[in-house]
Amino acid sequence: MKGSIILSGVGGMGILKASEVIAHLVVQEGLAVRQSEVHGMAQRGGSVVTHLRYGEEAFSPLLFRGEADFMLAFEELEALRYLPYLKRGGTVILNRLVLCPPGVDPSRYPKSVPEILRNAGYNVTSIPATDIALSLGDIRVTNTVLLGAFSRVFPIGSEKSWKEAFQKAFRGKNLEQNLEAFSRGRNFYDAS
Amino acid sequence: MLGNEAFARGAYEGGVEVAAGYPGTPSTEILEFLSKYREVHSRWCPNEKVAFEVAAGAAIGGKRALATMKHVGLNVASDALMTLSYTGVNAGFVAIVADDPGMHSSQNEQDTRNYAFFAKVPCLEPSNPKEAKEFVPLAFSLSEQFDTPVLVRSTTRVSHSRGLVPLGKRESVPLRAYTKRAEKFVMIPAFARERRKVLEERLKALEAWVEETPLNRVELRDRKMGIITGGVLYEYLREIAPEVSVLKLGVSFPLPKRKILEFASQVEELFVLEELDPIWEREIKAMGVKVKGREVFPGIGEITPDVILECLFPERKREFVDLSHFLIPRPPTLCAGCPHRGVFKVLRDMKAVVCGDIGCYTLSTLPPLSAMDTCLCMGASISIAEGIKLAHPEMPVVAVLGDSTFVHAGIPPLIDAVYNRTPIVVIILDNGTTAMTGGQDHPGTGRTLMGEETVRLDFVNLARALGVPWVEALDAYNPKRIRESLQKAFSFPGPVVFVVQGLCQLKRPKRKEVFFRVREEICRGCNMCLSAGCPALKKNEKTVTIIPERCNACGLCAEFCPFDAVEEIRV
């Protein structure tokens, strides 16, 4: 079992935390993991990407183009930006969220990103994760809702194992709320 | 474990007692993680030179000591490094220096290995978090064995990548005796001449050691292609081409020349794969070995797995979809509510020459603020501004730098402005933290890295004590007052210091007692507010609106609106 995931979005959306949860999960399943993340200048509302590789052996913390099996996109434009890393026909879990970069005319923002991705041959699940998070009272659990949907397509880890990974990543902080958000993401995927 | 956490763990297990540094991406988290081990004394220092010297002093005194910094930080500390290599240490001294190929968050991409060659000190180079942890204790032993400072070079992809790291126990290292040895530690010319010889002898001994150390490892597989590499590039290579033969260099300097010659003779075609400068390539070519480097790999920027594929294995590239024609850029911006925004809008509107510095505020360079004229290195804002003022006395010249940057390297140039009576305006943006690197304490915050309360540096009193004739504290969210003060300052005959105060919005709780709203019936769509580049403002067809979930209720847009269309609502 080996593979790779690209997580993309905008600084401050909990992308690092989401990749930490996935890293704990694959390690619990006895696999090696390597992951690369962005700090510093890139976090000031800029575009953010995390690469994650797992397998019996894992060396490179960076992926190469056309390699990733999965993409977790926290924002629509940022799905398009890092698409070259995704392999042809790969799976995208897409948050239905449009954040037009400040100072940019909204009419320049690409319309109907899910369609664009599907037309390019990707397997797309789009989910209003931010809306679901807001309905739970905390926009910060957007990442967990997305992970819930992702857990339905990711071949590794039982529901129990995911919950254990959450426990490790959140160390008890807002665990209840995150587990609720996780179930909502799972249920959304199952219903869609 | 994050690479930087692994460095900290390695230092802890290696028995480090004193650790000092200055924040800088991608090195910052090393000390932050280390400060959680309460048995180690960890501290932020005003700058890297101070940190390096505090650590060097602790090592001379007999305790294992660590200094951490980013690549450009070593420029600041290099004065100490170049002569510490003469004196040697006592207990182990290690400096972990993190390079930033590709300049993700830096002003240049210099290669720290140059300093190892320059100062004639050994340099270790781990490839992943596991090695990051393992190499630091080895570096301490090496430092003590050869009585030399040791550099450990990291890069962004080692420091900011995660991997599995098995933990070990903390080594118990007894305090080494301190005895006065002037001929070793006082570098007057007569003693330095003797130590210069010691340095050469030590280097010879290190050259013998480096042939034997398992840190340099030959992995013979397919003999058609042999690659000499190190650092994270080794990891990329294992992923892309697991069959090629590799000489993995865990020691960047000195090079194991015998091992290189032997490896060269065992493979048909030899490459050297290194990031940034062709340092190994030059050395290996000087040995008369036929090797390919720069003729195959680029000399600029980060070498990613894609670059290696492109240069060495183009047939292994995977197909991918490029929809970049849909893309619009999303550069980083000053946060909504950032206390810097108002200052830069005023400066831009006043058409001042703005000499900037290193920090978040460089984000004011891009449109719509387009406020900054120069940004060179830490503390240079003030001295560059002085020089521009000398060239153009008629222009209003302003130096702008953050509180932490001012402490780092802004005080000597401010003394110069006072001493030589240069009529510039210096704005210290006091946001109460080292923001760009994630919010570290510094002498102006009144708190140490270990979380203790301490004396708080008072910028107003400091500037007065230096003899600045006009010093004033201003509110970052009162742009009208800032503008009036600047107007007067531009005709003032000597240097002026304004300490503009406003907490970093990442450090202050979100205001819930008040919010702002645009009254659409009043807004005329003049876009005056938009010219400050706040990410919480959105332009509609005829008006502007505030995006509530992005707004941090700083009220600057209300200050800028010429028609009073932005109303403040108390909850």
Side-chain angles (χ1 to χ4, degrees):
Chain A
M1 181 67 79
K2 64 184 241 179
S4 55
I5 309 167
I6 197 101
L7 296 96
S8 69
V10 178
M13 297 182 76
I15 297 162
L16 289 188
K17 206 57 169 177
S19 49
E20 193 186 329
V21 172
I22 300 172
H24 281 303
L25 180 85
V26 295
V27 170
Q28 280 160 210
E29 302 295 323
L31 298 174
V33 68
R34 291 286 276 127
Q35 181 209 314
S36 186
E37 56 197 49
V38 183
H39 293 227
M41 184 77 101
Q43 284 173 307
R44 297 287 174 275
S47 163
V48 167
V49 65
T50 294
H51 301 222
L52 192 146
R53 174 192 304 284
Y54 55 90
E56 269 79 38
E57 284 188 313
F59 293 99
S60 171
L62 283 187
L63 308 184
F64 44 95
R65 285 184 300 231
E67 187 192 4
D69 303 285
F70 302 97
M71 170 183 266
L72 256 79
F74 287 61
E75 199 272 347
E76 297 185 11
L77 181 64
E78 299 312 312
L80 295 182
R81 194 181 313 280
Y82 297 100
L83 202 61
Y85 286 104
L86 196 58
K87 72 178 184 194
R88 265 212 181 272
T91 299
V92 185
I93 304 290
L94 177 72
N95 183 17
R96 286 312 307 268
L97 178 69
V98 169
L99 289 178
C100 189
V104 171
D105 184 349
S107 67
R108 286 179 58 204
Y109 194 98
K111 304 279 175 300
S112 56
V113 170
E115 286 303 300
I116 296 173
L117 293 173
R118 283 194 189 102
N119 291 340
Y122 292 101
N123 178 11
V124 182
T125 297
S126 63
I127 167 168
T130 301
D131 294 342
I132 294 174
L134 284 170
S135 77
L136 290 170
D138 193 345
I139 192 169
R140 288 175 301 176
V141 298
T142 299
N143 55 359
T144 321
V145 178
L146 274 180
L147 285 174
F150 176 64
S151 72
R152 300 312 263 164
V153 299
F154 193 51
I156 296 170
S158 61
E159 191 169 353
K160 188 165 162 279
S161 189
W162 274 99
K163 286 183 176 169
E164 199 183 323
F166 275 108
Q167 255 154 12
K168 284 180 190 154
F170 288 92
R171 293 181 196 95
K173 265 193 248 168
N174 299 328
L175 187 63
E176 287 297 308
Q177 198 178 24
N178 275 294
L179 290 178
E180 171 65 21
F182 180 71
S183 320
R184 292 286 290 271
R186 278 176 85 85
N187 296 343
F188 183 91
Y189 182 89
D190 294 344
S192 66
Chain B
M1 188 182 272
L2 190 68
N4 278 347
E5 186 177 2
F7 280 118
R9 179 73 198 185
Y12 169 77
E13 290 182 8
V16 73
E17 298 269 359
V18 173
Y22 182 79
T25 311
S27 73
T28 311
E29 301 83 4
I30 303 173
L31 269 199
E32 290 184 316
F33 281 114
L34 197 53
S35 70
K36 293 179 182 156
Y37 297 106
R38 305 307 290 184
E39 51 273 66
V40 181
H41 171 92
S42 302
R43 61 162 68 182
W44 291 129
C45 293
N47 64 37
E48 295 85 355
K49 180 174 187 291
V50 175
F52 192 100
E53 290 158 356
V54 168
I60 290 169
K63 284 186 170 181
R64 283 193 172 178
L66 175 74
T68 68
M69 61 203 70
K70 69 184 292 177
H71 57 319
V72 284
L74 189 55
N75 297 336
V76 180
S78 62
D79 205 4
L81 170 69
M82 296 305 294
T83 306
L84 191 68
S85 67
Y86 280 44
T87 67
V89 293
N90 174 22
F93 171 90
V94 175
I96 304 177
V97 185
D99 288 3
D100 189 14
M103 295 173 271
H104 298 276
S105 200
S106 302
Q107 69 269 39
N108 77 21
E109 59 173 5
Q110 65 186 49
D111 188 329
T112 290
R113 295 176 301 162
N114 285 305
Y115 272 112
F117 278 75
F118 193 15
K120 301 183 168 69
V121 298
C123 180
L124 308 188
E125 193 160 354
S127 294
N128 55 43
K130 180 170 174 284
E131 287 189 352
K133 198 215 76 170
E134 291 165 354
F135 279 26
V136 180
L138 293 172
F140 279 119
S141 308
L142 185 67
S143 170
E144 286 169 4
Q145 186 185 345
F146 292 92
D147 187 27
T148 176
V150 175
L151 297 179
V152 175
R153 181 204 188 208
S154 181
T155 57
T156 305
R157 302 301 183 185
V158 175
S159 282
H160 289 164
S161 74
R162 290 176 189 271
L164 293 176
V165 180
L167 301 186
K169 285 210 171 66
R170 179 165 162 87
E171 197 180 327
S172 166
V173 186
L175 179 72
R176 290 194 166 211
Y178 172 76
T179 44
K180 186 168 172 171
R181 277 178 287 171
E183 70 291 349
K184 176 165 157 59
F185 289 115
V186 181
M187 285 302 94
I188 54 173
F191 294 163
R193 281 183 209 113
E194 291 308 308
R195 294 302 301 180
R196 178 75 185 84
K197 293 175 199 161
V198 173
L199 180 60
E200 287 308 306
E201 285 157 20
R202 181 204 295 151
L203 198 52
K204 281 205 191 83
L206 280 165
E207 280 164 358
W209 166 82
V210 83
E211 298 291 352
E212 307 305 328
T213 173
L215 296 179
N216 299 320
R217 185 170 77 223
V218 174
E219 297 173 2
L220 281 178
R221 290 179 279 262
D222 185 346
R223 308 282 180 106
K224 271 203 223 76
M225 187 187 276
I227 301 181
I228 300 172
T229 191
V232 74
L233 302 185
Y234 167 82
E235 306 280 296
Y236 298 163
L237 201 57
R238 282 303 308 272
E239 204 72 56
I240 292 167
E243 80 288 357
V244 301
S245 292
V246 175
L247 168 52
K248 179 192 183 299
L249 294 177
V251 184
S252 303
F253 177 82
L255 287 182
K257 293 187 176 169
R258 274 209 324 271
K259 218 170 215 166
I260 289 170
L261 286 172
E262 193 188 334
F263 182 67
S265 71
Q266 288 168 323
V267 295
E268 286 171 34
E269 195 178 16
L270 185 66
F271 294 87
V272 55
L273 174 59
E274 58 189 325
E275 211 162 29
L276 302 181
D277 293 338
I279 296 174
W280 295 338
E281 183 180 344
R282 274 200 306 263
E283 293 287 304
I284 295 166
K285 282 186 171 160
M287 288 159 55
V289 175
K290 202 174 157 221
V291 63
K292 285 182 192 153
R294 276 299 156 84
E295 53 269 60
V296 184
F297 305 109
I300 294 177
E302 184 178 9
I303 293 188
T304 61
D306 283 320
V307 171
I308 299 174
L309 280 170
E310 189 72 48
C311 298
L312 273 190
F313 310 99
E315 73 288 354
R316 295 186 193 185
K317 285 196 295 183
R318 305 250 182 108
E319 210 187 329
F320 65 89
V321 176
D322 187 359
L323 298 175
S324 57
H325 53 283
F326 283 113
L327 289 181
I328 34 183
R330 189 191 300 276
T333 56
L334 292 173
C335 305
C338 176
H340 303 335
R341 178 168 285 108
V343 176
F344 285 107
K345 175 164 159 55
V346 169
L347 288 169
R348 195 263 328 270
D349 290 349
M350 294 179 87
K351 298 191 167 55
V353 175
V354 177
C355 299
D357 222 300
I358 307 287
C360 290
Y361 35 94
T362 57
L363 296 172
S364 72
T365 306
L366 298 178
L369 277 167
S370 308
M372 204 169 272
D373 287 65
T374 67
C375 167
L376 187 64
C377 61
M378 294 288 285
S381 54
I382 299 175
S383 15
I384 294 273
E386 285 196 89
I388 291 181
K389 191 72 187 176
L390 288 175
H392 282 280
E394 78 288 0
M395 295 199 306
V397 185
V398 182
V400 186
L401 74 174
D403 43 358
S404 186
T405 306
F406 175 70
V407 174
H408 180 286
I411 298 169
L414 182 57
I415 293 172
D416 185 64
V418 173
Y419 173 56
N420 288 303
R421 298 178 188 277
T422 322
I424 55 164
V425 179
V426 175
I427 295 180
I428 301 171
L429 300 169
D430 183 7
N431 65 355
T433 190
T434 316
M436 181 88 270
T437 45
Q440 290 72 31
D441 279 299
H442 62 70
T445 69
R447 189 177 286 274
T448 68
L449 172 60
M450 303 288 277
E452 286 152 4
E453 298 287 327
T454 183
V455 177
R456 183 175 170 182
L457 178 62
D458 181 327
F459 295 110
V460 171
N461 279 334
L462 173 68
R464 285 199 182 117
L466 296 180
V468 178
W470 178 6
V471 185
E472 197 175 332
L474 296 170
D475 175 3
Y477 297 104
N478 189 343
K480 287 188 187 82
R481 178 72 194 282
I482 293 172
R483 193 186 171 98
E484 286 161 13
S485 301
L486 278 168
Q487 200 65 57
K488 286 181 205 150
F490 287 151
S491 52
F492 191 77
V496 176
V497 168
F498 292 140
V499 180
V500 176
Q501 295 164 333
L503 281 182
C504 174
Q505 73 82 31
L506 296 172
K507 283 275 166 183
R508 72 181 158 88
K510 188 164 175 163
R511 291 174 76 188
K512 289 194 174 140
E513 75 286 2
V514 59
F515 69 93
F516 289 84
R517 185 170 66 190
V518 178
R519 288 186 289 182
E520 302 224 353
E521 69 281 8
I522 298 179
C523 176
R524 299 193 194 175
C526 73
N527 296 342
M528 183 63 91
C529 54
L530 290 178
S531 71
C534 178
L537 295 178
K538 189 168 116 196
K539 185 176 157 51
N540 302 326
E541 263 175 47
K542 287 188 182 149
T543 59
V544 172
T545 47
I546 295 171
I547 308 166
E549 47 302 353
R550 287 198 200 172
C551 179
N552 283 312
C554 72
L556 270 177
C557 51
E559 294 286 331
F560 292 136
C561 179
F563 304 106
D564 275 334
V566 183
E567 65 177 336
E568 179 176 339
I569 298 166
R570 302 228 154 235
V571 183

